[in-house]
Amino acid sequence: MMKKPIIAVTSTYDNGHTFLHKDYSEAVLSAGGIPLAVPHMVAPELLDRLCEAADGLLLSGGEDIDPNLYREEPLPGLGTLTPERDHTEKLLTERFLAADKPVFAICRGMQLLNAVAGGTLFQDIERQCPGALQHRQLAPRHHLSHRVEIAEGSLLAQAAGFTQIRVNSFHHQAVKLPAPGFRVSAEAADGILEGIESQSHRYVLGVQWHPENLAASDQAARNLFAAFIAACRNRKGSGAE
Ligand code: MN
């Protein structure tokens, strides 16, 4: 029997605690992976070893990204920052990209991935994108709020199994300029980017919504986790390093 892949999942650090919502760990478990929550750590040799040991990286949701990460000054409307988390996630993401191991980035994770790879963000959609839809829904977590158009032929379309879906939405930041080597793989009706993927890695993709909250109700969300875990497992099986 094929061994289950180990998935490093980034966490929130708050007041001395490391948090990971159970929806992330349960989505990974349901798809056949072993979730491993990553605490704050930045020593290069530890992160090298973690990247070597894990088969994939799940960048989870959370607070805003420090605009210093994409060479911009803070604007009014920028929310709470978590600089320690930014630091750990930047170093981890760089390692997984360099090793070409699968990365699945959710909400803040997609923004972090884009910033680390050289792209930029809108710091606050309402202030910087007049006419945008409501992307911070007040409906329950599992409610499918707005439409997303997924690009035909993209890795995301293949992973999700659909090109037109409805998604939940809990963000006020968004990808502005996709990182070099990345393509846009999903958009909302207002042009806000809802998915990006690398064209120079085997499986590196980000979504702006929260599929981990939709596992009970949405086939596309389950497909996304299944495809990510399959990519992690295949990479493990290939013996490539
Ligand atoms: Mn949205």
Side-chain angles (χ1 to χ4, degrees):
M1 203 175 104
M2 198 123 49
K3 279 187 182 167
K4 287 179 184 280
I6 295 174
I7 312 301
V9 189
T10 61
S11 309
T12 305
Y13 317 130
D14 184 33
N15 217 359
H17 294 262
T18 298
F19 287 109
L20 178 66
H21 195 280
K22 71 173 174 59
D23 285 0
Y24 290 105
S25 43
E26 286 180 1
V28 169
L29 287 165
S30 298
I34 302 176
L36 183 68
V38 181
H40 176 54
M41 53 187 213
V42 293
E45 62 275 22
L46 300 185
L47 296 169
D48 285 345
R49 181 70 187 101
L50 176 59
C51 177
E52 198 180 280
D55 303 298
L57 174 65
L58 176 57
L59 292 166
S60 62
E63 309 296 349
D64 285 4
I65 308 292
D66 182 354
N68 282 303
L69 233 64
Y70 47 94
R71 303 155 306 279
E72 286 190 10
E73 294 296 306
L75 299 174
L78 176 66
T80 304
L81 300 186
T82 47
E84 287 187 329
R85 181 174 184 185
D86 289 347
H87 193 190
T88 296
E89 288 185 332
K90 176 179 191 288
L91 297 174
L92 260 184
T93 301
E94 287 169 349
R95 279 163 174 76
F96 276 81
L97 291 178
D100 197 11
K101 287 191 168 184
V103 178
F104 184 28
I106 291 179
C107 195
R108 164 199 159 84
M110 161 168 153
Q111 297 161 8
L112 186 283
L113 169 66
N114 188 57
V116 168
T120 61
L121 305 179
F122 291 116
Q123 295 183 30
D124 183 60
I125 291 172
E126 265 188 53
R127 293 185 199 223
Q128 292 182 277
C129 312
L133 298 169
Q134 186 198 56
H135 286 275
R136 211 149 34 169
Q137 74 187 45
L138 302 171
R141 299 287 303 182
H142 61 271
H143 180 70
L144 301 178
S145 195
H146 68 69
R147 279 192 302 113
V148 159
E149 188 88 30
I150 298 178
E152 301 266 1
S154 62
L155 177 63
L156 181 59
Q158 201 184 337
F162 299 88
T163 53
Q164 297 202 346
I165 57 173
R166 297 187 76 87
V167 300
N168 53 0
S169 192
F170 300 95
H171 58 112
H172 82 108
Q173 301 206 303
V175 168
K176 185 162 64 180
L177 204 66
F182 279 65
R183 67 169 286 189
V184 173
S185 44
E187 269 183 52
D190 56 4
I192 293 293
L193 303 188
E194 294 276 338
I196 58 167
E197 62 194 51
S198 171
Q199 297 182 289
S200 50
H201 297 87
R202 272 171 287 192
Y203 197 99
V204 172
L205 71 84
V207 297
Q208 189 54 72
W209 66 98
H210 281 272
E212 82 283 3
N213 298 140
L214 304 174
S217 56
D218 184 64
Q219 186 61 49
R222 285 191 294 271
N223 291 348
L224 285 175
F225 277 95
F228 171 56
I229 298 303
C232 298
R233 194 187 290 123
N234 293 341
R235 176 136 179 76
K236 196 178 175 70
S238 76
E241 201 49 63

